[in-house]
Amino acid sequence: MEIMTPRGAARVDVDEEERGRLLLVLTHGSAGGVDAPDLLAVREAALGMGVTVARVTQAFRMAGARAPGSAERQDEAWLAVLAELRGRWPGLPLVQGGRSNGARVACRTARAAGAVAVVALAFPLHPPGKPDRSRADELRGAGVDVLVVNGDRDPFGVPDAADATRLVVLPGEGHDLKKEPARVGEVVADWLTRYLG
């Protein structure tokens, strides 16, 4: 389905569980798509638990841009999508998340969206080679439980365990988390059990 936002149309691919117990909304990184191996693995694991999964291709990507632009505009568009999805599944607890840039937007908007938790895959703690430009405040400011799953070889860095509710660092994984994506799905599925309605 397509949802119109103040920044253009976003596309949402939904896998609806008939007796859904949770709504999990996931999105991509700056230059990627919703078919990234880790996002697909999380989708598969969540569907096996009776979770309705929505994967959002954000408006900036639908418009052909490789970068999201300002955080304010990206967040505005994201919240418009979330409002529509929450209206379609009003009784389900919401967990939102994504990979890389998508993890950042999920953290920044969690409270405003009414999420109970955030799944942050490959959270980009800082630009590669620039550890002084930390984005840890976005994790700390989420205002809800945050699961962070990062690889130990991620050039964007690994957040501090104190800045998330739970931090899982996967050995041998880089920023793409594609070496063993099923493991990412298992970690997220285990985390989601506490939020099932």
Side-chain angles (χ1 to χ4, degrees):
M1 79 175 89
E2 284 200 357
I3 296 175
M4 189 53 65
T5 80
R7 303 295 161 194
R11 189 182 75 231
V12 185
D13 296 297
V14 179
D15 293 285
E16 183 174 7
E17 286 293 311
E18 192 173 325
R19 293 192 180 98
R21 302 165 65 198
L22 180 77
L23 174 61
L24 175 63
V25 183
L26 300 169
T27 193
H28 50 79
S30 290
V34 295
D35 292 329
D38 54 347
L39 293 178
L40 291 178
V42 169
R43 170 186 167 266
E44 288 304 311
L47 289 174
M49 302 168 61
V51 172
T52 291
V53 181
R55 291 173 298 134
V56 178
T57 302
Q58 295 179 60
F60 77 90
R61 292 292 289 148
M62 292 288 287
R66 288 183 57 84
S70 77
E72 294 78 17
R73 289 179 179 175
Q74 184 182 25
D75 294 355
E76 178 186 34
W78 178 254
L79 287 170
V81 171
L82 267 289
E84 177 76 19
L85 294 176
R86 296 217 63 196
R88 289 177 186 245
W89 291 279
L92 297 183
L94 168 69
V95 175
Q96 65 176 15
R99 60 165 290 100
S100 194
N101 174 267
R104 294 180 66 197
V105 72
C107 287
R108 291 194 307 258
T109 62
R111 277 188 286 203
V116 296
V118 168
V119 173
L121 306 177
F123 186 88
L125 183 62
H126 56 72
K130 299 180 180 178
D132 55 308
R133 293 178 52 195
S134 174
R135 298 165 178 144
D137 285 348
E138 291 179 351
L139 280 174
R140 294 185 206 117
V144 300
D145 292 346
V146 180
L147 166 68
V148 176
V149 183
N150 271 59
D152 66 351
R153 297 182 179 177
D154 193 330
F156 289 84
V158 176
D160 191 295
D163 292 332
T165 310
R166 182 167 184 228
L167 170 68
V168 177
V169 181
L170 300 177
E173 289 281 7
H175 191 63
D176 53 17
L177 294 175
K178 69 178 185 180
K179 185 176 179 186
E180 198 179 348
R183 179 72 184 119
V184 178
E186 290 167 9
V187 169
V188 174
D190 179 64
W191 167 262
L192 291 177
T193 56
R194 68 187 76 186
Y195 304 105
L196 293 176

